Amino acid sequence: MFININNFDSMPVDSSIDEVCGLLGVNGMNAAEYNTTVKDMKTLINKLSNKYPKKNYIQKVFHIGRKYSKTVINRITNYNNEIEKYCKTISNVKFIDATTGFVDS
């Protein structure tokens, strides 16, 4: 299900949901959008954590499909580092990397 901050409330609420795994994609990683993207993702992680209090997994963002500049790859790396640090501050959220052996294989 594609969810962003604008349609988050349409996500189902069901007490039988034990775990949620979120792949947080980014639509822009240019310098002007970077801080807003990080802020929006932190807001979305908070909303997930509050709506689904049992366990949430946030997947590392990765680049696929085309060659990206070193600058964009560095920005994605910094983004992942910042989001990973943030996830560690919330007890029911775990940052994961399921790409190893999949995307890079």
Side-chain angles (χ1 to χ4, degrees), residues 14-71:
D14 183 337
S15 62
S16 68
I17 297 174
D18 289 330
E19 298 178 335
V20 173
C21 184
L23 172 59
L24 303 180
V26 292
N27 286 332
M29 243 339 146
N30 68 41
E33 297 167 321
Y34 181 80
N35 288 332
T36 300
T37 300
V38 169
K39 180 178 172 257
D40 287 349
M41 287 305 123
K42 288 178 179 180
T43 298
L44 190 55
I45 290 167
N46 278 333
K47 286 185 172 196
L48 276 171
S49 174
N50 291 329
K51 191 166 193 167
Y52 302 103
K54 293 181 182 175
K55 192 68 178 175
N56 296 277
Y57 299 94
I58 303 302
Q59 167 62 41
K60 173 184 174 180
V61 171
F62 51 92
H63 49 84
I64 59 172
R66 65 181 173 117
K67 294 200 181 252
Y68 288 87
S69 71
K70 196 82 154 152
T71 301

